[in-house]
Amino acid sequence: METDRLIIYNTLTRRKEPFVPLHAPHVGMYVCGPTVYGDAHLGHARPAITFDILFRYLKHLGYKVRYVRNITDVGHLEHDADDGEDKIAKKARLEQLEPMEVVQYYLLRYHKAMEALNVLPPSIEPHASGHIIEQIRLVEEILKNGYAYVSQGSVYFDVAKYNKDHHYGILSGRNLDDVLNTTRELDGQEEKHNPADFALWKCAQPEHIMRWPSPWSDGFPGWHCECTAMGRKYLGETFDIHGGGMDLVFPHHECEIAQAVASEGHQMVRYWMHNNMITINGQKMGKSLGNFITLDEFFTGSNKLLAQAYSPMTIRFFILQAHYRSTVDFSNEALQAAEKGLERLMEGIRNLDRIVPAQTTSGIEPAGLREKCYEAMNDDLNTPIVISHLFDATRMINTLVDKKATISAEDLEELKSVFHLFAFDILGLKSDAENNEAREEAFSKVVDMLLEQRMQAKANKDWATSDKIRDNLAALGFEVKDTKDGFTWRLNK
Ligand code: ZN
């Protein structure tokens, strides 16, 4: 019933639209993944979590989702072109490693951080370096259609030519003059017909270690090619959703659109979705600004900007407390508030199990919670509103625990079911592992304490008490063994 009501904001049309997949129940979804030459930071967490929510929700609605998130491991020159050298190749050269050793090292760390954030793995994670043939084919098609030219072994996209037939800037709302005015002087300008042209294939300098043969030169593909080539390979010539951070709208996604249109005559993506950025104390995050905090540093607290360590679930909850199209400003105060809020929510969920149902519901109004949560999710994934509904429900739970209201068995089951669905399955929250460990430790100590009381009872020849403790523990699944100097126990479950 809810499946036809999901509304999402499409960056391409600049409005909210009902989500209607091309081949329901199948949904194809592509999200630009990490460039793996350094540790994941807060800026990586946001798109990963945003599109994890979309992935989870679409699956919950009954769609069969193929979620592709690429690994950029070659040719990423456009962004931090300090010296025009590939970041991975540079790291490999400096540390005398194979480039793939650098990729593997950071990819494993990225996966570990994503798992800690409870981000589900995508269906496919293709590497750019594993799809050179597909990228060469894409470049050949664009050349054949006349929208690219070869210059000194490199291939450039002819933006002016393309703009005559199509609109370059359709996604970012720019026109070619704006683009020309904002284009920075980058590597290879002298080879281009026009400063706005972008590389489809780059001829490698002799010292460049990541290189492949092509019809034009030994070299490597331009960064924008991989997403067009791999999106097409795994999701088809037209697919439903393409996502990423807002910083990718221009030039990356604009170039992807141009490449798709120039090679196959039509756009490849139906809904473009972009998450907004994270700022740190009101400033853009960046290595040069010295306010760059990796996820590992958040989890361990080892960064001078952090007042304490923050658990992965606190980070997740903090991000979900804002709508994905709003900016999020990091500060210690904001994260501490998120930590408290999450704990309050989790406590509410735990308290649900302590409530004994009554004949009727009175003193609270639990009806309609499920519908309200769906309504918020259907409104362009409005997670902060879902969270505020769950907080309202937490207040009801507290009233019930304080015995100031009653709830029927049926209403209680519904409340539990809504909490599990929205908090755990859809928002992907969970009790923190650290909390679980602390809880387990306390729990072990309670069992030890009971068994010490039993030993005391035995010493006092109080067999009734001693047997009662043993029998009660056995009923809960504890196997107790008496030893020479005390006891051992284990839980059989
Ligand atoms: Zn991409």
Side-chain angles (χ1 to χ4, degrees):
M1 59 168 195
E2 288 80 15
T3 54
D4 53 357
R5 295 210 314 245
L6 174 60
I7 307 277
I8 52 178
Y9 182 85
N10 190 346
T11 314
L12 188 65
T13 57
R14 294 174 185 77
R15 57 166 189 257
K16 286 186 183 178
E17 294 174 1
F19 175 64
V20 184
L22 192 59
H23 303 293
H26 298 276
V27 170
M29 169 172 156
Y30 188 100
V31 173
C32 293
T35 305
V36 278
Y37 63 81
D39 266 336
H41 52 76
L42 201 53
H44 287 99
R46 196 163 191 203
I49 290 171
T50 298
F51 293 101
D52 184 52
I53 296 293
L54 180 61
F55 184 38
R56 286 168 181 267
Y57 192 53
L58 288 171
K59 287 201 294 183
H60 167 70
L61 294 179
Y63 293 116
K64 295 184 184 344
V65 187
R66 183 179 296 160
Y67 175 14
V68 180
R69 189 181 64 203
N70 64 303
I71 307 294
T72 297
D73 58 357
V74 277
H76 193 293
L77 286 172
E78 274 76 3
H79 269 254
D80 311 287
D82 43 0
D83 51 9
E85 189 175 2
D86 187 300
K87 290 279 175 188
I88 291 162
K90 184 176 180 179
K91 195 130 203 160
R93 181 172 59 75
L94 292 177
E95 296 177 16
Q96 298 199 328
L97 298 168
E98 265 297 316
M100 279 301 139
E101 280 183 279
V102 178
V103 169
Q104 182 75 356
Y105 176 79
Y106 287 111
L107 186 55
L108 288 174
R109 290 173 66 83
Y110 176 77
H111 282 158
K112 222 176 113 197
M114 290 304 120
E115 199 185 326
L117 291 168
N118 207 19
V119 167
L120 298 176
S123 325
I124 308 177
E125 272 191 302
H127 288 233
S129 63
H131 296 76
I132 302 296
I133 291 169
E134 289 82 354
Q135 295 180 72
I136 290 177
R137 197 167 303 143
L138 173 73
V139 178
E140 283 174 334
E141 284 167 12
I142 298 171
L143 271 170
K144 193 181 85 211
N145 293 342
Y147 292 111
Y149 55 89
V150 183
S151 176
Q152 297 174 42
S154 293
V155 183
Y156 291 97
F157 191 93
D158 190 339
V159 171
K161 169 90 188 288
Y162 174 83
N163 195 53
K164 278 204 192 91
D165 305 332
H166 309 281
H167 176 192
Y168 181 74
I170 190 169
L171 183 70
S172 54
R174 298 174 192 220
N175 60 44
L176 191 53
D177 289 337
D178 303 335
V179 175
L180 283 171
N181 290 334
T182 54
T183 303
R184 286 180 300 150
E185 281 297 314
L186 292 175
D187 179 49
Q189 288 299 9
E190 65 286 350
E191 297 175 359
K192 296 181 188 176
H193 294 173
N194 185 318
D197 294 349
F198 57 91
L200 297 171
W201 185 266
K202 286 288 284 179
C203 174
Q205 299 299 311
E207 67 276 11
H208 202 102
I209 42 182
M210 291 176 89
R211 54 168 67 220
W212 292 265
S214 81
W216 316 288
S217 64
D218 272 14
F220 52 94
W223 170 40
H224 312 306
C225 286
E226 65 183 78
C227 294
T228 309
M230 298 192 291
R232 184 183 301 174
K233 180 177 171 103
Y234 295 110
L235 299 172
E237 281 209 355
T238 309
F239 61 85
D240 296 303
I241 300 168
H242 193 316
M246 220 172 231
D247 54 336
L248 296 181
V249 169
F250 190 89
H252 185 49
H253 291 163
E254 201 70 78
C255 294
E256 277 190 45
I257 291 179
Q259 291 169 160
V261 174
S263 59
E264 56 189 32
H266 60 84
Q267 289 200 35
M268 192 160 73
V269 176
R270 301 173 68 236
Y271 301 89
W272 284 91
M273 293 178 75
H274 294 94
N275 62 274
N276 213 321
M277 309 315 286
I278 293 184
T279 52
I280 294 198
N281 298 316
Q283 266 194 321
K284 197 172 173 271
M285 199 168 39
K287 257 195 176 132
S288 52
L289 293 166
N291 63 358
F292 196 81
I293 311 175
T294 69
L295 289 172
D296 252 9
E297 287 168 344
F298 274 104
F299 302 162
T300 56
S302 59
N303 183 300
K304 62 179 181 352
L305 292 170
L306 300 175
Q308 59 170 90
Y310 298 98
S311 74
M313 273 309 112
T314 301
I315 303 283
R316 185 175 179 106
F317 189 67
F318 169 67
I319 286 174
L320 292 177
Q321 273 186 310
H323 187 262
Y324 75 90
R325 286 193 289 116
S326 318
T327 52
V328 167
D329 188 47
F330 157 84
S331 66
N332 280 292
E333 297 71 38
L335 269 181
Q336 283 157 355
E339 186 177 48
K340 285 206 187 79
L342 178 63
E343 180 46 34
R344 214 162 66 231
L345 200 62
M346 289 299 154
E347 196 188 332
I349 295 174
R350 283 196 300 276
N351 279 340
L352 268 174
D353 292 329
R354 291 173 47 200
I355 294 167
V356 181
Q359 283 296 327
T360 56
T361 301
S362 75
I364 52 165
E365 281 292 338
L369 180 65
R370 183 183 294 268
E371 289 71 20
K372 281 190 232 165
C373 289
Y374 272 122
E375 207 177 294
M377 282 305 292
N378 285 336
D379 181 16
D380 196 27
L381 312 176
N382 204 334
T383 56
I385 300 293
V386 175
I387 290 171
S388 79
H389 291 318
L390 294 178
F391 273 132
D392 289 344
T394 304
R395 277 188 283 277
M396 281 189 250
I397 294 166
N398 292 341
T399 319
L400 289 164
V401 169
D402 293 344
K403 304 219 170 1
K404 288 177 182 147
T406 61
I407 190 165
S408 70
E410 198 188 339
D411 286 348
L412 182 60
E413 276 318 300
E414 169 66 6
L415 200 55
K416 282 183 187 174
S417 150
V418 171
F419 258 100
H420 280 257
L421 173 60
F422 285 94
F424 299 142
D425 299 348
I426 293 174
L427 297 185
L429 300 171
K430 59 178 187 183
S431 290
D432 268 318
E434 291 155 45
N435 280 344
N436 287 344
E437 272 167 35
R439 215 172 294 279
E440 253 168 49
E441 205 184 306
F443 160 87
S444 288
K445 282 189 183 145
V446 170
V447 177
D448 286 347
M449 211 157 69
L450 275 171
L451 287 171
E452 272 154 24
Q453 282 177 13
R454 176 170 170 261
M455 277 174 66
Q456 196 62 50
K458 275 167 79 176
N460 295 339
K461 302 199 175 354
D462 177 1
W463 309 119
T465 303
S466 145
D467 289 353
K468 193 175 168 197
I469 292 173
R470 189 201 53 215
D471 293 348
N472 284 347
L473 283 173
L476 292 169
F478 288 94
E479 193 181 306
V480 179
K481 267 201 191 126
D482 292 311
T483 60
K484 243 196 285 168
D485 43 358
F487 54 82
T488 62
W489 63 266
R490 56 182 211 152
L491 184 58
N492 289 326
K493 256 187 186 165

